Amino acid sequence: MTEFTVWAPEAARVRLRLTGAADHEMTAAPGGWWRAEVPDAGPGTDYAFLLDDDDLPLPDPRSAWQPHGVHGPSRLYDHAAFEWTDGAWTGRQLPGSVLYELHIGTFTPEGTFDAAVERLDHLVSLGVDLVELLPVNAFNGEHNWGYDGVCWYAPHQPYGGPDGLKRLIDAAHAKGLGVILDVVYNHFGPSGAYAPRFGPYLAEQSNTWGRSVNLDGPHSDEVRRYIVDSVLMWLRDYHVDGLRLDAVHALPDTRAVPLLEELAIEVEALSTHLGRPLSLIAESDLNDPRLITPREAGGYGLHAQWNDDAHHALHTLLTGERQGYYGDFGSLETLAEVLTGGFFHAGTWSSFRNRHHGRPVDRQRTPGHRFVAYLQNHDQIGNRATGDRISATLSPALLRVGAVLLLTAPFTPMLFMGEEWAASTPWQFFTSHPEPELATAVASGRRREFAAHGWPEGDVPDPQDPQTFARSRLDWAELDKPDHREMLEFYRRLIALRKSRPDLTDPRLSEVSVQTGDQFLVMRRGDTLVVANLAGRAQGISLPGVARQVLLATGEGVTVMRDRIQLPAETAAIVAL
């Protein structure tokens, strides 16, 4: 016996259609729900719903499996049928971890969950603790970044569907790797978004990607429950260790208890029941520490947030770029502000926004591990006109300096796939919309967007061109080339050193001090110093103490004379006092 349910509060009639069988009239239930019991339906049964007198079959908004794509029928899926082997897994906490962001479709030539399993040993040997997957919920077409998802409960079938995702997570846990999943609840994608036909899932206002989700209007209780249940499903039924919540600033919500706080409460309860840590990481451009302030202190209680200020401070300093939102960044003093205070824009003037922005972080009470920092990520690469990585611009020497500054900062560091070997492949914006008019609109919109930022339209790859997707795949053969292999070995040694020195994982922002000079920086982390010379010439730099040992240097020729260090051009060193 299977009971089918669907929320359709404004429908006068709902029918259930099973493949090869007569339609079933569903019965109205309290709260706008409709129900039907079917004795002989079980896992593997395809089904759809029909609203009112419309004969168009629609997939289930809570579908766990869309084997025929987002426009096809849903298929019943039994979560209990998968045979997990991770019974001894106790989880992986965010503090102290190194994250690694990857996109399933371009991480391997095959672009599947099962193919990613074959590369997990690489991540283990690198020193990664948590693998962060870009969104994997179902979207229309074969390949896409994942942010146009429309089925918030169903893994993308071309990646391997529900069982494929479970096999990847099970294998990751067997190797000691946790898994973070990127999820998008601020909008539905432009094709295959049938949930709004069933009820008022959308608000009147819009954000960058379309109409916002109805979090505080009439019938919003069930819309919020739709999101909460999706969050709990990923963590419970897929054994995911945490979620990265996309663009939470695009979740308009005037409720007394915001959705983000509600999620923190529900996830804490689930974590307590499961006996393993579960993390919620927000992407937000608000620079508001209330997101990561515990609920006991009046915050939302999320565990961490992405920190674009850390990226901007590093990127501008290393590359010299100052366009757009990089305008206020670029100095060593700016980087020092971030390293010691979390944010640069903390109630300060933002020339890009033409207003004051952000709120100060309490350095005494807010641990640095609540900020996820990165030298590169999918946005900061893929939202460049040609999707060029920082390695396409910087010398290998400066790349190593940037890696040192990232991995010795008091934050939770994250790498983007291939960064560890200075991958030469770009990561471009790609889509595979089957609808010609949508494909044309996306491509032309992309060109206009970059033209406004000064890039010639001819430089912007066509997102629909299959070669744009193909160019973005990692080239694992690069690991056989000396320069790439040497960079990988450097990252391994750097991450191992970070994990071996308590000073370098100490999250207390109040214990970090930074001195800056003429194109050099000295950061003190307890009895460990990080010294970086960004100049194109050698420099002698005074140290705040007597150096005992050089623990790691990014190049040859580093010499120490008691309380002074000589660094060649574009070199960094980690020194023990």
Side-chain angles (χ1 to χ4, degrees):
M1 176 70 69
T2 297
E3 183 182 46
F4 292 83
T5 62
V6 68
W7 184 62
E10 296 169 349
R13 177 193 185 199
V14 181
R15 289 167 287 161
L16 169 67
R17 176 167 294 174
L18 304 181
T19 302
D23 292 347
H24 296 258
E25 290 286 345
M26 301 187 75
T27 302
W33 285 87
W34 296 79
R35 304 182 184 278
E37 291 185 350
V38 182
D40 55 350
T45 300
D46 287 353
Y47 69 100
F49 298 112
L50 296 88
L51 298 176
D52 296 316
D53 294 323
D54 193 336
D55 204 42
L56 176 66
L58 304 176
D60 186 353
R62 289 178 175 246
S63 170
W65 194 3
Q66 288 296 124
H68 306 292
V70 299
H71 296 292
S74 302
R75 178 170 293 175
L76 286 180
Y77 178 78
D78 181 9
H79 278 291
F82 185 83
E83 295 185 6
W84 290 94
T85 65
D86 67 348
W89 177 251
T90 56
R92 181 71 68 196
Q93 68 170 13
L94 196 63
S97 290
V98 174
L99 275 63
Y100 187 95
E101 187 187 31
L102 67 85
H103 174 261
I104 288 295
T106 51
F107 183 57
T108 64
E110 301 84 357
T112 64
F113 296 129
D114 289 326
V117 170
E118 302 303 313
R119 297 294 180 177
L120 293 179
D121 286 338
H122 168 83
L123 303 183
V124 173
S125 68
L126 177 60
V128 167
D129 301 288
L130 287 161
V131 181
E132 181 171 318
L133 306 179
L134 268 68
V136 302
N137 53 297
F139 55 81
N140 197 27
E142 288 289 316
H143 51 263
N144 188 299
W145 278 17
Y147 295 90
D148 284 336
V150 292
C151 298
W152 292 357
Y153 289 68
H156 191 49
Q157 185 63 23
Y159 289 167
D163 279 0
L165 178 57
K166 289 182 178 181
R167 286 192 295 270
L168 172 57
I169 294 169
D170 199 43
H173 289 171
K175 296 181 182 296
L177 296 168
V179 178
I180 303 287
L181 185 61
D182 197 340
V183 288
V184 183
Y185 297 123
N186 51 55
H187 75 289
F188 288 96
S191 179
Y194 293 107
R197 296 198 187 190
F198 286 82
Y201 284 88
L202 299 177
E204 289 302 319
Q205 66 263 51
S206 298
N207 56 42
T208 304
W209 308 282
R211 286 179 63 186
S212 301
V213 177
N214 173 25
L215 299 179
D216 53 8
H219 296 293
S220 59
D221 284 359
E222 285 296 348
V223 177
R224 292 164 73 99
R225 195 68 235 173
Y226 180 67
I227 295 173
V228 171
D229 288 347
S230 172
V231 164
L232 298 180
M233 178 209 66
W234 295 119
L235 298 169
R236 179 191 61 238
D237 299 333
Y238 285 92
H239 295 200
V240 170
D241 299 284
L243 300 175
R244 181 260 194 190
L245 306 171
D246 181 69
V248 300
H249 51 269
L251 292 170
D253 185 1
T254 60
R255 293 280 204 80
V257 179
L259 173 69
L260 296 177
E261 184 179 355
E262 187 177 344
L263 291 177
I265 294 168
E266 295 265 6
V267 168
E268 181 181 35
L270 180 61
S271 175
T272 303
H273 174 68
L274 296 177
R276 58 184 174 92
L278 301 174
S279 301
L280 290 176
I281 305 169
E283 182 203 19
S284 170
D285 72 355
L286 300 177
N287 281 23
D288 187 352
R290 285 177 294 188
L291 290 174
I292 54 173
T293 299
R295 289 188 298 112
E296 297 90 333
Y300 290 179
L302 302 181
H303 303 93
Q305 72 165 79
W306 277 26
N307 188 353
D308 276 349
D309 280 15
H311 168 270
H312 299 349
L314 284 168
H315 182 91
T316 53
L317 186 64
L318 294 168
T319 66
E321 293 185 8
R322 298 291 186 278
Q323 74 275 16
Y325 48 68
Y326 291 151
D328 293 331
F329 297 85
S331 68
L332 282 162
E333 292 74 19
T334 299
L335 178 59
E337 288 282 341
V338 172
L339 292 171
T340 57
F343 295 139
F344 172 66
H345 284 307
T348 56
W349 178 258
S350 166
S351 62
F352 175 69
R353 298 173 179 84
N354 200 29
R355 62 170 174 80
H356 285 78
H357 184 66
R359 182 187 182 101
V361 172
D362 187 335
R363 297 177 66 237
Q364 297 292 332
R365 293 181 172 86
T366 305
H369 61 67
R370 290 188 185 153
F371 299 96
V372 176
Y374 29 83
L375 193 57
Q376 304 180 71
N377 67 28
H378 76 275
D379 270 333
Q380 301 302 337
I381 300 172
N383 283 328
R384 297 172 66 83
T386 60
D388 54 313
R389 295 169 180 262
I390 198 171
S391 53
T393 303
L394 295 186
S395 66
L398 274 181
L399 279 176
R400 288 181 170 87
V401 172
V404 166
L405 292 173
L406 170 68
L407 285 157
T408 60
F411 309 129
T412 298
M414 184 179 75
L415 310 180
F416 182 71
M417 60 179 194
E419 177 180 342
E420 69 275 19
W421 75 75
S424 65
T425 49
W427 203 73
Q428 300 177 332
F429 181 72
F430 48 82
T431 56
S432 58
H433 297 299
E435 303 92 341
E437 66 282 359
L438 181 56
T440 300
V442 169
S444 60
R446 191 78 175 171
R447 287 192 294 269
R448 286 195 304 272
E449 177 184 350
F450 283 108
H453 287 82
W455 272 291
E457 289 195 15
D459 289 352
V460 182
D462 180 357
Q464 286 286 121
D465 184 347
Q467 286 305 306
T468 304
F469 171 66
R471 281 191 297 269
S472 300
R473 289 197 188 103
L474 282 180
D475 178 7
W476 288 88
E478 289 186 330
L479 292 177
D480 295 327
K481 300 176 181 178
D483 289 348
H484 294 291
R485 190 166 59 244
E486 289 171 12
M487 185 65 76
L488 174 60
E489 182 54 34
F490 174 76
Y491 265 86
R492 284 174 174 159
R493 289 189 288 124
L494 178 56
I495 292 172
L497 177 60
R498 169 188 167 83
K499 293 187 173 185
S500 71
R501 300 282 296 183
D503 289 342
L504 298 181
T505 52
D506 187 340
R508 291 174 293 177
L509 295 175
S510 59
E511 296 299 305
V512 181
S513 62
V514 179
Q515 297 173 261
T516 61
D518 181 15
Q519 292 185 275
F520 72 82
L521 172 149
V522 180
M523 174 170 59
R524 183 161 189 168
R525 308 288 316 276
D527 290 331
T528 305
L529 299 180
V530 181
V531 191
N533 175 23
L534 292 103
R537 65 186 188 282
Q539 294 203 80
I541 301 169
S542 297
L543 304 177
V546 176
R548 291 190 299 105
Q549 181 185 4
V550 175
L551 301 171
L552 182 71
T554 62
E556 302 292 333
V558 175
T559 57
V560 172
M561 300 154 285
R562 289 183 58 80
D563 62 350
R564 191 169 177 81
I565 189 170
Q566 184 76 15
L567 289 180
E570 298 181 350
T571 301
I574 303 173
V575 179
L577 296 179

